[in-house]
Amino acid sequence: MVAMSKIATGNGHGENSPYFDGWKAYETNPFHPTERPEGVIQMGLAENQLCFSLIKNWLIKHPEASLCTPQGVNKFKETALFQDYHGMPEFRQAVAKFMGKVRGDRVKFDPDRIVMSGGATGAHEMVAFCLADPGEAFLVPTPYYPGFDRDLKWRTGVELVPVNCESCNNFKITTNALEAAYVKVQEANLRVKGLLITNPSNPLGTVLDRDTLKSMVRFINDKNIHLIGDEIYAATVFMEPEFVSISEIIEEEDVECNRDLIHIVYSLSKDMGFPGFRVGIVYSYNDSVVSCARKMSSFGLVSSQTQHLIASMLSDDEFVDNFITESKELLFNRHKYFTWSLSQVGIGFLKGNAGLFIWMDLRKLLKEETFAAEMELWRVITNEVKLNVSPGSSFHCQEPGWFRVCFANMDDYTMKVALLRIRTFMLKNNEAMVPLKLCRPSSLKLSLSRSLSRRMDDFMSPGIMSPRSPLPQSPLVQART
Amino acid sequence: MEFTRKNRQLLSRIATNDRHGENSPYFDGWKAYDSNPFHPIHNPDGVIQMGLAENPLCFDLIEKWIRENPDASICTAEGLDKFKDIAIYQDYHGLREFREAVAKLMGRVGGNRVTFDPNRIVMSGGATGANETAIFCLADPGDAFLVPSPYYAGFARDLRWRTGVEIVPVHCKSSNNFRITRAALEEAYEKAQRSNINIKGVIITNPSNPLGTVLDKETLRSLVSFVTDKKIHLVSDEIYAATVFSSPRFISVAEVMQDMDCNRDLIHIIYSLSKDMGFPGFRVGIVYSFNDDVTNCARKMSSFGLVSSQTQFLLASMLSDDEFVGNFLRESSKRLAKRRHVFTKGLEEVGISTIKSNAGLFFWMDMRPLLKEQTTKAETELWRVIINKVKLNVSPGSSFHCSEPGWFRVCFANMDDKTVEVALDRIREFVLQGKEENNHEADKSQGRAQRWRKQNLRLSFSSSRLYDESLMSPHMISPHSPIPHSPLVRART
């Protein structure tokens, strides 16, 4: 037996979670419209595949963006040799400008604060290494991206402490919850170093409102702890309310804040749809953190070939403005169609306006209100309905029955197949259902099989269902407005 | 002080300690260069960069290949249909074609005596990321690795900074050409054990940075048997493998393992395209382990520093072109050999010896005769003269943790031919000036200690015999036999 490190032999990589079983089911039997029409459809991957035709059109018109075209090859050598961890100035300028545009130019970003990292994955780890010692903790509101457990804890030895958010108030992050979590950590003799928020939220697909953001900034400033804002979904906000970044909040007159505590994690993986290019960004308002992160970026710089491409693409104002608008529209349409289809078959979901996924409410389908029941339902969805969706427990959601389903990583045809499968599954669980073409969301009436209706009765209080549900007596939860 | 104290409360220990290594004097040379970089026309008196181990000699070949292979790019008309699939590809296994191409290259570089398995190819953020990842997999904070010195200055950061692992140097000596002896390894290991330091492995760099030499079969075998004996790991950084430009040939640890009784689970190779291909900007680091658990773990960790899929795609194409690769490797060796030879000759003419080398992008220069005393302090003083007066950014041996003062690493590949000439001229002038002033000194009245304030150079030549022609035979200057009668040379063994 050869000795490896504790890090290597532990489970900190997070891949032993059941979450990955869905992936394995997909990998062994992936859906293909013609070759494998009965395969598992991947709905667990938050990817943005909707805008590639825009990007390709731009590339055709801009051969100089590539080092490999006749127009660009004269830059090949100097770019291939460029390993300065400051990054190419044009790259940093273009990214800073893009970040500003995504925020409606309400705020400006300083290219000298742009630090590279190995994707958002690398960015998060790097921030943890800069801000916390092993054993120290970050507060993270639930539900949160499962990858945080690996990115923030695995090699750093830092702890994550969940701040529980509840569906009864749409998973709002309340100051009470923050204070409660903070006190709990203190009592356990751990030191809280910061608060990590994801805005727009993964998996909720919602944005934080101004008041919540301000109260968070007040909270961290009071406690003198860091605020890390993961804003990698910033450009995926496809309808009201508008996205508000921490970068805007700290500029507000009534907000007092030590800027040394504020840091943003960004990436092009979601907003542009380029996860393969590994463009992670750490943007800190703290000079020491910028300096330290920059040194650490040596462990995960962005390929200069990719910096060159991105610098070119994102400096094209017209393209960027058009892309941001188009992307939102495509996401909006896809989201609208998806959510309408879900509500057609009586599936509820959290009302969202951002992200590449929907936070689906399948609580009424649970045999009992437990995570074991959630896993059972999930296995049914994976193995029988043949959709790889992600169970809420993998996001550390405190309430069983929620599932994240991604809608932007497939073409229209696959989406329709997926929705048809959902519909078929829901129909099987009901005695009768009004045919789709005759049905409009507001006039949907369904009758249930007896066993299902008995279960529904147990759960039919407005308190358990969203307080905003318009039809509390409806046997099935409707879309919440 | 207030700022630092505040930082220590707000930031991590890692963020506020010095283990990133940038406070070392090594970086002062860089600053001198950055503020006054040489340019043949715009700044002919600037500092010439000879501290950067880069390989830019073969870009003409690469550019030609690029022009002839537009489908290697996802941005050309020929390659655009692949853009989407590649842009969304984030699987940490890496593109199969990429892994196959890299495995094939590694095999070729080792003379095809070994076949590398594409399924053991794991990506990382350059060799920087690869070395760090290997340590994260193999050692806990407080553990240590033995590292033969002189060694790459960046190891202090890559192996130690965020991992909390320590380096225990195994000092190698010029008296036997800095060979890594079993005795030295054993001694360092025992000493560490006695101090309760837990040695987890050995890291070697082969070909060596900064020496520019390759390890012979015997040394490699002895290393493999040493680690097998002690049940510790052997990490072999082979990033200069294809820079071998003359015999003896490169032997990978993978080759030596093949006919040895050893525990393969202990053997790991670090590779990269930064030196062999000249692509440091592309951040292609590779961890190749013979240990399945390490491969799996490193692969999971690679998420923190994957190679851009755009770059994977390009390189998969380029490195699968057998004809191109063969030609590139041959030409690269040829050009490196030629360049090295120009320097060897040029330096010989003024009596400066270098360690005999056949690889790397640098040579290890012996400036011990120019030291006023055999101390690191004197080396640093000499170094400052070389940077500020001679205007060459070379790297002092102390930055490589060399136990003997007076050695300097000089990079020879990262400049054009014209700049080579200027550099050699400056060296000639510096040495000859020293000789002249030395002679001038001998002519002056005796017993007066002289200070060359103009140059801020203190070389205490009590005799003019240093550059006496009769002592200047290559045989004598070779590191195999020190110059016994020179007043400056101390016994090194």
Side-chain angles (χ1 to χ4, degrees):
Chain A
M1 185 56 202
V2 159
M4 287 165 57
S5 65
K6 293 195 184 78
I7 285 175
T9 46
N11 271 330
H13 49 71
E15 290 191 24
N16 290 346
S17 94
Y19 178 51
F20 283 86
D21 289 347
W23 286 82
K24 292 167 195 164
Y26 166 76
E27 266 161 28
T28 45
N29 184 22
F31 172 81
H32 186 277
T34 47
E35 289 166 29
R36 228 174 345 234
E38 302 303 313
V40 177
I41 296 179
Q42 177 60 277
M43 304 189 85
L45 199 47
E47 273 173 6
N48 186 356
Q49 293 191 22
L50 304 181
C51 290
F52 278 100
S53 52
L54 278 176
I55 290 167
K56 281 156 75 163
N57 284 337
W58 186 89
L59 287 168
I60 292 175
K61 298 196 195 107
H62 294 86
E64 74 284 358
S66 164
L67 299 176
C68 300
T69 55
Q71 296 86 344
V73 73
N74 59 316
K75 290 260 164 41
F76 190 95
K77 175 176 168 179
E78 75 191 62
T79 307
L81 291 171
F82 185 87
Q83 56 173 327
D84 182 348
Y85 62 34
H86 288 81
M88 293 165 75
E90 315 79 53
F91 170 76
R92 284 183 287 110
Q93 281 155 16
V95 171
K97 196 160 59 151
F98 184 72
M99 287 173 73
K101 279 181 179 286
V102 164
R103 289 153 185 77
D105 282 323
R106 292 181 295 276
V107 76
K108 256 174 94 81
F109 288 88
D110 177 1
D112 291 337
R113 291 190 180 282
I114 300 278
V115 173
M116 299 179 286
S117 60
T121 301
H124 278 293
E125 189 192 47
M126 199 151 84
V127 170
F129 268 126
C130 287
L131 304 182
D133 291 327
E136 294 183 334
F138 282 103
L139 301 177
V140 193
T142 67
Y144 65 80
Y145 166 56
F148 280 164
D149 291 325
R150 169 197 59 193
D151 302 349
L152 285 138
K153 301 191 334 170
W154 190 19
R155 306 191 305 181
T156 62
V158 165
E159 294 298 333
L160 287 187
V161 174
V163 177
N164 292 330
C165 301
E166 296 167 344
S167 63
C168 56
N169 64 352
N170 287 327
F171 300 95
K172 199 177 157 89
I173 306 166
T174 63
T175 311
N176 282 344
L178 289 172
E179 293 280 357
Y182 185 84
V183 164
K184 209 165 108 183
V185 178
Q186 302 276 71
E187 283 168 1
N189 266 325
L190 289 179
R191 187 164 168 211
V192 179
K193 242 13 214 312
L195 167 65
L196 167 64
I197 58 172
T198 308
N199 176 35
S201 163
N202 174 15
L204 303 177
T206 53
V207 296
L208 294 176
D209 60 80
R210 217 167 267 270
D211 286 337
T212 303
L213 283 163
K214 284 190 189 180
S215 73
M216 272 179 196
V217 170
R218 246 174 259 125
F219 173 78
I220 58 108
N221 199 53
D222 260 352
K223 307 274 188 278
N224 198 36
I225 61 177
H226 295 279
L227 178 61
I228 303 150
D230 179 336
E231 300 190 343
I232 68 175
Y233 289 97
T236 68
V237 179
F238 49 78
M239 66 187 199
E240 298 282 296
E242 195 178 55
F243 171 61
V244 179
S245 162
I246 332 174
S247 56
E248 296 171 58
I249 296 293
I250 61 177
E251 302 291 349
E252 300 221 353
E253 275 175 24
D254 58 338
V255 172
E256 217 184 271
C257 175
N258 175 5
R259 283 176 176 230
D260 278 347
L261 300 171
I262 310 291
H263 324 274
I264 293 177
V265 166
Y266 191 57
S267 162
L268 298 183
S269 301
K270 311 297 180 182
D271 284 356
M272 298 289 302
F274 295 160
F277 293 171
R278 314 314 300 152
V279 182
I281 303 290
V282 173
Y283 189 97
S284 174
Y285 290 86
N286 180 321
D287 292 348
S288 303
V289 173
V290 171
S291 176
C292 178
R294 194 184 283 128
K295 292 178 174 70
M296 284 188 182
S297 67
S298 301
F299 298 111
L301 294 170
V302 176
S303 167
S304 54
Q305 177 190 20
T306 302
Q307 288 187 53
H308 184 264
L309 171 66
I310 299 297
S312 194
M313 196 183 283
L314 299 186
S315 332
D316 184 338
D317 288 337
E318 202 187 316
F319 166 76
V320 167
D321 291 337
N322 189 41
F323 178 90
I324 292 175
T325 312
E326 276 293 306
S327 176
K328 285 187 202 209
E329 204 179 304
L330 291 166
L331 286 169
F332 173 79
N333 290 335
R334 187 52 83 82
H335 178 267
K336 191 165 105 170
Y337 187 81
F338 217 94
T339 49
W340 178 79
S341 308
L342 290 181
S343 56
Q344 280 288 290
V345 293
I347 292 181
F349 49 88
L350 184 69
K351 182 167 178 289
N353 67 321
L356 309 171
F357 32 71
I358 291 161
W359 191 235
M360 241 179 2
D361 184 356
L362 300 184
R363 289 177 293 173
K364 61 190 192 230
L365 296 179
L366 294 185
K367 278 222 287 270
E368 49 186 26
E369 207 182 320
T370 63
F371 289 108
E374 179 185 282
M375 291 308 284
E376 234 184 89
L377 175 58
W378 178 57
R379 286 204 178 93
V380 167
I381 298 173
T382 304
N383 299 321
E384 292 174 24
V385 191
K386 303 253 182 69
L387 302 175
N388 179 28
V389 299
S390 315
S393 49
S394 64
F395 296 88
H396 302 272
C397 185
Q398 297 301 301
E399 304 170 18
W402 293 87
F403 288 77
R404 188 192 77 169
V405 60
C406 298
F407 60 76
N409 64 311
M410 60 192 71
D411 57 31
D412 284 339
Y413 176 77
T414 309
M415 180 190 62
K416 294 199 170 99
V417 174
L419 288 168
L420 187 58
R421 289 183 185 182
I422 292 175
R423 183 174 147 73
T424 309
F425 172 67
M426 290 304 284
L427 283 178
K428 269 212 316 231
N429 283 296
N430 303 302
E431 271 179 0
M433 189 166 177
V434 178
L436 203 61
K437 58 180 169 76
L438 299 179
C439 168
R440 284 200 315 273
S442 54
S443 62
L444 187 66
K445 280 185 170 56
L446 300 164
S447 62
L448 295 174
S449 69
R450 279 227 311 247
S451 56
L452 186 62
S453 67
R454 203 177 301 127
R455 288 202 296 277
M456 289 312 304
D457 287 338
D458 291 340
F459 296 135
M460 289 301 283
S461 78
I464 288 180
M465 296 187 319
S466 156
R468 297 209 204 147
S469 169
L471 300 163
Q473 261 68 54
S474 163
L476 287 180
V477 172
Q478 303 280 340
R480 290 173 201 74
T481 42
Chain B
M1 278 320 284
E2 177 58 41
F3 179 70
T4 321
R5 193 154 33 95
K6 203 160 60 121
N7 265 345
R8 275 209 202 93
Q9 291 160 3
L10 266 190
L11 306 185
S12 64
R13 282 192 287 267
I14 286 175
T16 46
N17 69 25
D18 262 353
R19 288 164 72 101
H20 49 69
E22 289 190 27
N23 290 346
S24 95
Y26 178 51
F27 284 86
D28 288 348
W30 287 82
K31 292 168 197 163
Y33 167 76
D34 279 341
S35 50
N36 184 22
F38 171 83
H39 186 279
I41 305 161
H42 303 308
N43 193 18
D45 290 327
V47 176
I48 298 179
Q49 176 62 278
M50 303 189 86
L52 197 50
E54 273 178 0
N55 185 3
L57 300 179
C58 289
F59 275 96
D60 55 326
L61 297 175
I62 291 169
E63 282 161 26
K64 178 165 178 285
W65 187 91
I66 296 277
R67 283 178 209 274
E68 288 165 6
N69 293 274
D71 53 357
S73 164
I74 51 178
C75 300
T76 52
E78 293 84 347
L80 203 55
D81 60 332
K82 297 260 172 24
F83 188 91
K84 176 177 160 178
D85 285 342
I86 298 298
I88 65 180
Y89 183 86
Q90 56 173 328
D91 182 347
Y92 62 29
H93 288 82
L95 287 174
R96 190 181 39 86
E97 306 78 34
F98 170 75
R99 286 183 285 114
E100 283 167 1
V102 171
K104 198 156 59 152
L105 175 69
M106 288 172 73
R108 286 190 85 147
V109 163
N112 283 327
R113 287 181 180 81
V114 185
T115 313
F116 288 89
D117 178 1
N119 294 325
R120 291 193 179 281
I121 299 280
V122 171
M123 297 180 285
S124 60
T128 301
N131 278 309
E132 190 193 48
T133 295
I135 298 298
F136 266 127
C137 289
L138 304 178
D140 294 323
D143 288 341
F145 265 75
L146 295 175
V147 190
S149 78
Y151 60 81
Y152 166 54
F155 276 165
R157 170 197 60 194
D158 302 347
L159 308 178
R160 301 182 327 145
W161 191 20
R162 306 191 307 179
T163 61
V165 168
E166 298 302 333
I167 292 177
V168 171
V170 180
H171 291 297
C172 302
K173 307 198 162 104
S174 61
S175 51
N176 65 348
N177 281 329
F178 299 96
R179 208 184 152 92
I180 306 167
T181 64
R182 182 70 180 248
L185 288 167
E186 293 281 0
E187 194 195 319
Y189 184 84
E190 300 304 322
K191 192 161 152 209
Q193 298 284 83
R194 283 196 303 273
S195 318
N196 270 324
I197 295 173
N198 187 23
I199 300 290
K200 262 337 229 323
V202 183
I203 298 209
I204 56 172
T205 308
N206 175 35
S208 162
N209 174 13
L211 302 175
T213 53
V214 296
L215 294 179
D216 56 60
K217 211 168 222 184
E218 202 189 304
T219 305
L220 283 163
R221 289 175 71 94
S222 123
L223 279 157
V224 172
S225 98
F226 173 75
V227 300
T228 301
D229 244 10
K230 305 281 189 266
K231 296 190 179 52
I232 62 178
H233 295 277
L234 178 61
V235 177
S236 179
D237 181 333
E238 301 187 346
I239 69 174
Y240 289 97
T243 67
V244 174
F245 50 78
S246 66
S247 67
R249 67 174 179 86
F250 168 67
I251 303 173
S252 166
V253 68
E255 185 185 329
V256 147
M257 276 166 68
Q258 280 176 154
D259 33 40
M260 263 190 89
D261 219 352
C262 68
N263 185 351
R264 297 168 71 89
D265 277 346
L266 297 172
I267 316 291
H268 325 274
I269 295 175
I270 302 295
Y271 192 58
S272 165
L273 300 183
S274 302
K275 311 296 179 182
D276 284 357
M277 297 294 299
F279 295 159
F282 291 173
R283 314 314 301 151
V284 182
I286 303 290
V287 176
Y288 189 99
S289 174
F290 290 91
N291 179 321
D292 292 346
D293 291 334
V294 173
T295 301
N296 284 330
C297 181
R299 191 184 286 126
K300 292 177 173 70
M301 288 187 179
S302 67
S303 301
F304 298 111
L306 294 169
V307 176
S308 168
S309 54
Q310 177 191 20
T311 302
Q312 287 184 51
F313 186 80
L314 169 65
L315 296 171
S317 191
M318 192 186 285
L319 302 179
S320 337
D321 184 338
D322 289 337
E323 200 186 320
F324 166 77
V325 171
N327 186 43
F328 178 91
L329 293 176
R330 272 188 304 273
E331 267 304 303
S332 178
S333 292
K334 248 189 7 208
R335 295 179 192 185
L336 286 170
K338 185 162 164 226
R339 186 52 81 78
R340 174 67 170 104
H341 183 69
V342 167
F343 271 98
T344 310
K345 287 233 77 171
L347 293 172
E348 260 174 24
E349 282 167 20
V350 288
I352 292 186
S353 77
T354 65
I355 207 169
K356 185 161 177 292
S357 67
N358 66 321
L361 308 171
F362 32 69
F363 52 82
W364 192 234
M365 192 167 66
D366 186 357
M367 301 289 263
R368 289 174 298 170
L370 295 178
L371 294 187
K372 77 169 197 282
E373 52 185 26
Q374 297 298 303
T375 61
T376 308
K377 186 159 176 279
E379 177 189 281
T380 307
E381 254 180 67
L382 175 57
W383 179 55
R384 291 217 165 87
V385 168
I386 299 175
I387 302 231
N388 298 319
K389 304 293 175 199
V390 193
K391 304 252 182 71
L392 302 175
N393 179 28
V394 299
S395 313
S398 51
S399 63
F400 296 90
H401 305 269
C402 185
S403 55
E404 299 172 19
W407 293 90
F408 288 79
R409 188 192 78 170
V410 182
C411 298
F412 62 77
N414 64 310
M415 60 194 71
D416 58 33
D417 290 332
K418 195 81 195 50
T419 312
V420 172
E421 284 310 315
V422 177
L424 279 170
D425 280 344
R426 290 184 185 182
I427 295 173
R428 265 182 220 115
E429 202 184 303
F430 170 63
V431 171
L432 292 174
Q433 209 168 38
K435 190 175 178 178
E436 250 176 50
E437 287 178 355
N438 192 36
N439 288 338
H440 178 68
E441 267 313 292
D443 287 347
K444 279 194 171 167
S445 52
Q446 294 143 6
R448 239 197 308 163
Q450 270 300 310
R451 280 173 174 274
W452 285 291
R453 286 189 208 285
K454 205 169 58 165
Q455 285 187 39
N456 203 30
L457 182 68
R458 293 181 71 189
L459 299 174
S460 49
F461 296 113
S462 54
S463 145
S464 65
R465 291 189 66 210
L466 177 68
Y467 297 107
D468 191 317
E469 290 301 311
S470 65
L471 290 176
M472 296 298 281
S473 73
H475 167 71
M476 296 298 289
I477 294 168
S478 148
H480 286 286
S481 64
I483 308 167
H485 300 294
S486 161
L488 287 186
V489 175
R490 313 281 194 268
R492 281 174 213 87
T493 44

